[in-house]
Amino acid sequence: MRRRSLLIAVPAGLVTLAGCGDDGKSDTAKSSSSPSASASASSAPPPKIVDGPLPAITAGTKFDEKPTVAKGTGDPSKNLAVKTVIAGGGQTVAENDYIQANYLGQIWDTAKVFDNSYDRKTPLVIQLAQGGIIDGWRYGLVGKKVGSRVEMAVPPTWGYGTSGNSQAGIKGTDTLVFVIDIQNTFNAKSSAKGKDVAQSDAALPKVGTNTDGKAPSITVPKTTAPTKLVATYVIEGDGDEVKADSSVLVQYKGVLWDGGKEFDSTYSRGQLTSFSLQQVVKGWSQGLTGKKVGSRVLIVVPPSLGYGDSPPSGSGIKKDSTLVFSVDILAKM
């Protein structure tokens, strides 16, 4: 059994220690026609991957440009057709990674675009995990490299199945064409990327600045805990600022101010966590708002902004505990 993250908040504003089987996914709503929605073919056997046929990309041919894709000609393959249109040189994508990508999806027979992230100006961040995304993406993107543009034609078996996706106008017989620009990939070894910031306040914990995917050290001083929220950069990234209603993908480690004992960590679980800042304790939502993607942030959460007098059962956290976190903001979702 895997313990869930302690961070997701209950309606009263506190967080709860939930049961077993957490998949680490955010509850954030996705577009109804995005590859995450109605992933109905997860029980299908692995596809045979072929290199065509695939429609031509007639405009927007550069990486991360919104593409225009021709209508499919003739019958699509019954197999999964995948082609690397632009070969990137970055990290290789693996199954269960979270990828960050821009994409456009349209229907083979009509060239009707049912979804694209380019117009939203927000790339999709999603895990290539069974049941969380259509299998066409899960099988077609594994092994590709960051910086690549991939085109694929996904038959219903590895798309939305025979039920299709009526809200997106996708029938159960439709083959779907996607163009996907892979911007980044994240896994349990991912870390912050940025410039180290001096940690000169002796009254605050010191956080390690290693970026090798291992948990950073957190050294708590033998002083009285602050009574107000502390949220400072340990490593300052150069990405977008996190907003109060953002969803984020993070690595984190939490320890108690008193004694420095670890009580929760994505590093220990070997699994990243994603969530909306509207779903977590106030210390996190306030502490991460305004911080930049790519950063490592020290957050010291007083009881009034954390668990207060109702800590999660079995967590090892006493009532009115001050909590210390190191948080790597990997991506904004």
Side-chain angles (χ1 to χ4, degrees):
M1 297 191 302
R2 286 184 287 116
R3 189 179 69 179
R4 289 188 69 171
S5 163
L6 296 174
L7 296 171
I8 303 303
V10 295
L14 301 174
V15 300
T16 179
L17 179 64
C20 313
D22 179 47
D23 57 8
K25 297 180 184 66
S26 169
D27 292 328
T28 305
K30 302 289 196 302
S31 166
S32 63
S33 50
S34 79
S36 63
S38 302
S40 59
S42 60
S43 61
K48 178 181 179 181
I49 297 179
V50 297
D51 59 8
L54 287 163
I57 300 173
T58 58
T61 57
K62 295 180 180 179
F63 180 81
D64 231 19
E65 283 187 336
K66 180 184 175 182
T68 300
V69 184
K71 179 181 174 182
T73 302
D75 293 330
S77 175
K78 300 298 184 184
N79 299 309
L80 178 62
V82 181
K83 180 181 179 182
T84 300
V85 180
I86 299 172
Q91 183 177 339
T92 300
V93 175
E95 187 168 5
N96 294 317
D97 278 6
Y98 285 82
I99 62 163
Q100 177 176 299
N102 271 319
Y103 70 96
L104 178 141
Q106 67 182 45
I107 296 171
W108 176 281
D109 288 334
T110 63
K112 176 189 174 184
V113 175
F114 57 83
D115 193 24
N116 87 89
S117 65
Y118 301 92
D119 289 347
R120 291 193 293 270
K121 302 187 185 305
T122 303
L124 177 70
V125 178
I126 195 167
Q127 190 177 20
L128 296 183
Q130 184 175 8
I133 191 170
I134 60 172
D135 280 346
W137 278 50
R138 188 165 68 91
Y139 288 113
L141 295 181
V142 168
K144 305 302 182 185
K145 293 187 176 182
V146 170
S148 295
R149 166 168 283 191
V150 179
E151 184 180 12
M152 64 174 70
V154 182
T157 301
W158 297 285
Y160 296 102
T162 55
S163 59
N165 185 324
S166 59
Q167 193 170 355
I170 298 169
K171 301 191 299 292
T173 56
D174 284 335
T175 289
L176 310 178
V177 178
F178 290 97
V179 175
I180 304 159
D181 290 321
I182 307 171
Q183 296 180 343
N184 214 334
T185 191
F186 307 97
N187 57 37
K189 297 297 184 184
S190 296
S191 292
K193 294 181 180 179
K195 295 182 179 179
D196 293 359
V197 176
Q199 301 179 67
S200 55
D201 190 339
L204 292 180
K206 299 295 185 291
V207 179
T209 56
N210 58 295
T211 56
D212 55 1
K214 296 180 181 179
S217 60
I218 301 178
T219 304
V220 181
K222 297 184 184 303
T223 57
T224 302
T227 57
K228 294 183 178 181
L229 178 70
V230 174
T232 61
Y233 285 120
V234 176
I235 298 173
E236 185 172 357
D238 60 2
D240 293 342
E241 287 189 0
V242 174
K243 298 179 180 179
D245 61 351
S246 293
S247 293
V248 291
L249 178 68
V250 303
Q251 287 265 42
Y252 72 90
K253 175 180 173 180
V255 305
L256 301 173
W257 181 282
D258 291 336
K261 181 181 178 181
E262 178 182 310
F263 63 86
D264 195 15
S265 171
T266 56
Y267 302 95
S268 298
R269 292 195 298 273
Q271 187 178 40
L272 305 179
T273 292
S274 60
F275 51 77
S276 166
L277 291 191
Q278 296 176 323
Q279 294 178 305
V280 292
V281 292
K282 291 180 180 179
W284 270 60
S285 58
Q286 294 176 18
L288 292 182
T289 297
K291 297 296 189 287
K292 298 175 186 175
V293 171
S295 299
R296 176 170 295 166
V297 182
L298 164 69
I299 306 179
V300 181
V301 181
S304 61
L305 298 177
Y307 300 97
D309 61 0
S310 301
S313 175
S315 66
I317 301 171
K318 296 179 181 179
K319 292 182 179 181
D320 298 320
S321 291
T322 296
L323 310 177
V324 181
F325 292 95
S326 169
V327 186
D328 284 14
I329 310 170
L330 302 178
K332 187 169 75 168
M333 306 175 74

